[in-house]
Each structure stands twice: as C-alpha cells, then as structure tokens.
Amino acid sequence: MLLPIVHKETVLSIGFDDTDSPKGMCTTYLAYRLIESLRKENVKFVDYPRLVRFNPNIPWKTRGNGAVSFTVKTSRPQRIKAKVIRFVSKFSDLKNGANPGVVFYESEKVPDDFTQFSRDALWSLVSRKRAREFIRKNGLESFHIGNGQGLVGALGAIGYRFEDHTYELLSYRKRKRFGTKRQVDPTSVKRMQERFDKTFNSYDTKKEKVLLAPRGPDPVLYGVRGEDVRTLIDASTMIRSEDPAGYLVFKSNQGTGDHLQNELDVLALKPYSSGRITGVVSKEPKMHKGGHVMFCITKDCVEINCAVYRPTGITRNAMELVVGDRIQVGGGIRRASKTHPRTLNVEFFKVLKLQKKQILVNPTCEKCDKKMKSKGRGQGFECARCGCKRTSKSVQYVKRNIRKGLYIPQSSAHRHLTRPQKRIGIVNTDSNFSERVRWFSSYKN
Ligand SMILES: [Zn+2]
C-alpha cells in the first residue's frame, strides 16, 4: 500500500525591514501583499503579524523605523521562503534608497539572544555589521539587497518580546489611487473615536485634525490603533473614505513607550540612544527662539542639556520647573553640533519632587506688620512708621504652578512609540489569536 507523503510541519518566522523609502511604498504594504499571497499556500498563522517600531532617534530611519515579522506553520518552508524573497525583491523601493533585509528562523521558540538584539535596536544604534555577525554566528538564512540595513530590523522584529502591546488595523489604498489625495471624512473619524474608547490617536480634537491617515505617497489609507482586534475592525467600519483595497491587522509595540523604559548611563551617553534619565534640575528653563525650552538636569555630577520643543505642547509646563526639582526625562540623545551641545530631546518628563520655589522680598516690620522700604542699593531696609531697620531681604515661598506627575506631548506630536495619555497605566498582554477574527481582508474579489 502506498502512503501519501506527509511533509513534517515546521514553524517558520519571517522578518523583514527597510523595503520602503520616504518617497513611497511601505513595509506593512509589502506584508499585506505577501500575506494575501501566502494565504493561498495553505500556511497556518500562529499569531497576528507584528509591526515593531525601533529606536525613533536614529537619523537615517525612513518614516517610522518599523519592521515586520510573522510566524507560520508550513510543511513547505523552502517554497515560502522563495516567495518572500520574490516579493521583497519586487516590492521594495530600491530606486529611492531602500535597503531591504529578510531573515528566516525555523523553530517554535525564539532564543533569548534574539530578544536581546531586538531590545538593543529599540533604544540604541545597532550596526549592520552586528546584524551580519549575529546571522553568521547563528547560521540563519537571510537575504538582502543594497547595504543590508534592513537586516537589523528583520532580526529585531523576530526577536521582539512584547511585554505590552497594541494593535493597528492598516487599511490600504487601491493602486490606481497611489499618490493622489486621500479621501477620508474627518467627521466620521471623530465620531469613531468618540464611540470606541479602546482606540487611540485617531483624531486631534484640539486642532480638529485627522491623525489616522498619513499624508505621504505611501499606500496606507489609514490606520486605526487600539487595544483589541475586534474593536479595530468594528471601528474601521465607521470611517467614511474612498474604497480601500483591503486591510491587515498588526500586533505592535506602538503606543507602549517601550523605547524609553531603560535608564540611560549618563557617564556613557551615546548619540541617537533613547531612554530616560532621573536627576535634578540644575539650570533653570529658558525659552529660546521658536518657542523651544531648554534646561539642564544633573545626575551623578553630569549635567545634561534638555530640550522641549514647541510642537509637544508641554513647553509651558517645562518653563515652570525650578532648580532643585527632581524629575525624570525621557527622550533621544542628539549629537552635539557646531551650534548645539549634546542634548536630550524630551519626549516626556515626570515631576517626582518639587523644590520649594522662593523669591526675595523686602522684609516686613514685625511690630507694624508693614513692608519696609529700601534705603537704596546696599543701604538696607527701614520701616517708614517706626524706623526699625534690617540689612537684608527676606525669603518668601511662592506657590508652584506645576504638580508632581507625568507630562507628555499632545497627540499631534506623538511618535509611533509614544505612550498616549489614554494608555497610562495600561499593560495589554492578551494573546487570543484566532483565525475566526477577520484580521486580514482583501476586497478585490
Ligand atoms: Zn515698624
């Protein structure tokens, strides 16, 4: 009797990055097209595809420094890998400077050193060389075009371990509309946001501005972000827009603030690293041209320049800080230039302890309860009524116009990784992947 040949199923993780350029395309769109095709190959997805954002303070990132990975069960891994390479070669924006990289990993469990690599890419600058060495040392299958920059994110996306996550439903445009003005009705977005509390950063109610649609030439129509997949699917049906081509839901570290979780070593601050520093305000805030606020904090005898930029909307709060306040600042380290010292660009600050703010005032006469008059520079003070004298001013404490707590930028100034106000205190660890949820959809048919 002839038995049918049964191929053993293997678990295959696929990571890719840097397929896009500022001029068009998008790594998530490549994922969308690829998954559309893989669904015909009888592969089983074991979780939602992952959209992982890495260190936003690296100067040569494209739009959001986001990489994609997904994991499937398949009995034909070689065929799948060949298809991935074909898609990445075909859809990457090579003309405009994309340097795509793809990494494959065949195993149920992703080892810890992948996760460490990924963490490093989240807050520091990881070189292409380190990625290539990691690939060689672990004997991984990989593929790249150009300088291999994409290998860093491809590896990182496979290794990323979510301790908190969100989801994004990305809706894509029909090809004939690429590059044309997006049709998304703002009122419908506003209503959607009001109705679905588990979504975030869709609409800026202060500026009456749609936040969920990009403005560039990429194929994304809009992206709805939130805490669970069903909510996003329901929410997206409320948005009135041009006809999309389809959508794909990603699990993501967007909105988690994870790039600012680590305390930076002030004695070894590296340009382009992200993180937080806890210290004491050591130079009082000053507002500079353009409305940006600069101040200094000191930790372990190292003074660090901090800049709060006007678009964050928290410059007024920063101006209220005084020398002696104990605060934590999170952000990215900008390299020193001819005109600026090395600076931490503030993405949030948290007031931990307020210093008493004091001002010097003319002394009060204890007998008459009247303010004394100055007798002239360096001449001391005298009570006009009883003639009582004092040599120096007295200290008066004034009410502070800032409270202990967290100060984060307004939503229009958020980056992908910024933890929005709504998510403060939320840790999303649900892991209820189901093929019954419609996490992928293509309307073409
Ligand atoms: Zn007096």
Side-chain angles (χ1 to χ4, degrees):
M1 193 176 83
L2 275 175
L3 288 169
I5 299 162
V6 179
H7 291 277
K8 207 176 153 273
E9 265 199 346
T10 121
V11 177
L12 172 65
S13 290
I14 300 155
F16 50 94
D17 188 23
D18 209 354
T19 67
D20 52 354
S21 77
K23 286 197 173 158
M25 292 316 285
C26 169
T27 299
T28 72
Y29 180 68
L30 198 153
Y32 166 75
R33 296 297 300 269
L34 181 57
I35 286 170
E36 179 181 45
S37 167
L38 288 180
R39 284 168 73 89
K40 295 171 199 148
E41 297 281 347
N42 203 25
V43 300
K44 279 193 224 94
F45 281 81
V46 304
D47 198 357
Y48 300 103
R50 298 141 62 94
L51 168 58
V52 183
R53 301 286 178 180
F54 291 104
N55 189 359
N57 296 305
I58 290 178
W60 54 82
K61 68 191 167 82
T62 48
R63 273 179 306 277
N65 205 7
V68 168
S69 77
F70 54 84
T71 304
V72 293
K73 275 187 185 157
T74 174
S75 52
R76 299 152 97 184
Q78 294 316 323
R79 188 184 157 90
I80 304 301
K81 289 174 200 167
K83 185 166 241 179
V84 171
I85 289 171
R86 234 178 13 251
F87 266 73
V88 169
S89 308
K90 184 176 161 196
F91 285 107
S92 291
D93 197 3
L94 303 170
K95 285 196 303 286
N96 290 310
N99 288 290
V102 182
V103 172
F104 301 108
Y105 185 67
E106 262 181 79
S107 172
E108 198 121 2
K109 202 176 171 298
V110 175
D112 288 342
D113 52 348
F114 274 72
T115 305
Q116 192 53 52
F117 183 97
S118 186
R119 273 208 195 117
D120 291 350
L122 182 62
W123 67 270
S124 66
L125 177 62
V126 172
S127 67
R128 303 194 285 269
K129 191 171 154 238
R130 186 173 154 198
R132 282 206 208 93
E133 274 164 12
F134 188 96
I135 287 165
R136 201 185 50 227
K137 211 180 76 199
N138 290 281
L140 303 174
E141 281 180 73
S142 72
F143 166 81
H144 72 270
I145 308 174
N147 67 15
Q149 184 58 45
L151 293 172
V152 178
L155 266 172
I158 293 176
Y160 201 85
R161 206 167 287 163
F162 293 105
E163 264 144 43
D164 172 27
H165 64 261
T166 61
Y167 294 95
E168 180 164 13
L169 180 151
L170 277 160
S171 173
Y172 296 101
R173 312 185 73 187
K174 293 191 164 166
R175 229 172 312 174
K176 61 177 185 206
R177 293 199 185 253
F178 287 7
T180 64
K181 195 176 181 303
R182 284 176 184 74
Q183 305 296 327
V184 176
D185 172 37
T187 314
S188 70
V189 176
K190 194 177 174 182
R191 280 205 198 111
M192 179 278 282
Q193 178 167 279
E194 281 162 7
R195 167 125 179 246
F196 291 94
D197 195 42
K198 281 180 162 178
T199 60
F200 60 87
N201 285 6
S202 303
Y203 192 84
D204 184 339
T205 46
K206 264 192 209 136
K207 296 188 170 175
E208 297 290 344
K209 208 174 103 190
V210 170
L211 298 174
L212 58 58
R215 257 148 295 158
D218 57 291
V220 172
L221 178 57
Y222 57 75
V224 193
R225 295 159 182 216
E227 303 298 329
D228 74 82
V229 179
R230 279 175 206 274
T231 299
L232 296 187
I233 295 167
D234 291 346
S236 69
T237 61
M238 269 186 80
I239 300 170
R240 286 202 305 269
S241 70
E242 66 187 52
D243 274 348
Y247 70 73
L248 177 58
V249 176
F250 290 91
K251 190 175 187 172
S252 180
N253 62 349
Q254 294 175 153
T256 63
D258 277 354
H259 67 306
L260 303 176
Q261 293 289 342
N262 60 308
E263 182 80 20
L264 290 169
D265 178 1
V266 291
L267 299 170
L269 277 186
K270 296 214 175 79
Y272 316 130
S273 51
S274 303
R276 54 177 68 181
I277 298 171
T278 309
V280 173
V281 176
S282 54
K283 207 173 272 170
E284 72 171 28
K286 282 217 172 75
M287 193 165 282
H288 287 238
K289 228 169 107 187
H292 313 307
V293 172
M294 314 287 237
F295 62 92
C296 288
I297 66 165
T298 293
K299 186 195 180 184
D300 299 339
C301 300
V302 180
E303 190 163 69
I304 299 121
N305 294 285
C306 299
V308 182
Y309 292 103
R310 190 168 169 218
T312 59
I314 52 172
T315 49
R316 272 173 187 229
N317 306 102
M319 279 301 285
E320 293 295 331
L321 294 168
V322 301
V323 171
D325 284 341
R326 189 169 172 73
I327 66 170
Q328 186 175 67
V329 288
I333 303 294
R334 194 177 66 180
R335 206 175 48 143
S337 70
K338 270 185 200 152
T339 49
H340 292 91
R342 185 185 61 190
T343 303
L344 184 135
N345 289 345
V346 175
E347 293 174 40
F348 80 81
F349 68 91
K350 192 175 183 180
V351 179
L352 304 171
K353 204 175 157 206
L354 286 170
Q355 177 68 272
K356 287 200 171 94
K357 185 179 181 180
Q358 53 190 45
I359 52 168
L360 293 174
V361 292
N362 287 5
T364 305
C365 173
E366 280 153 31
K367 262 188 271 170
C368 316
D369 199 27
K370 282 255 176 202
K371 273 260 148 69
M372 293 181 170
K373 289 247 159 62
S374 170
K375 289 176 32 180
R377 226 181 144 78
Q379 304 291 304
F381 302 88
E382 191 179 58
C383 174
R385 204 193 256 177
C386 73
C388 188
K389 289 189 177 67
R390 285 277 200 87
T391 51
S392 57
K393 288 195 168 191
S394 57
V395 168
Q396 192 178 72
Y397 293 106
V398 290
K399 200 178 155 275
R400 298 291 306 272
N401 287 320
I402 186 167
R403 286 188 208 177
K404 278 202 267 185
L406 186 64
Y407 295 86
I408 61 171
Q410 55 193 359
S411 45
S412 59
H414 280 195
R415 321 175 92 164
H416 294 296
L417 275 159
T418 307
R419 177 175 278 267
Q421 195 72 48
K422 228 180 198 173
R423 296 204 78 246
I424 305 293
I426 290 181
V427 181
N428 189 350
T429 54
D430 78 13
S431 55
N432 44 3
F433 177 72
S434 164
E435 274 291 354
R436 266 174 298 176
V437 177
R438 216 165 165 226
W439 55 274
F440 173 91
S441 184
S442 167
Y443 305 124
K444 248 187 303 188
N445 312 315

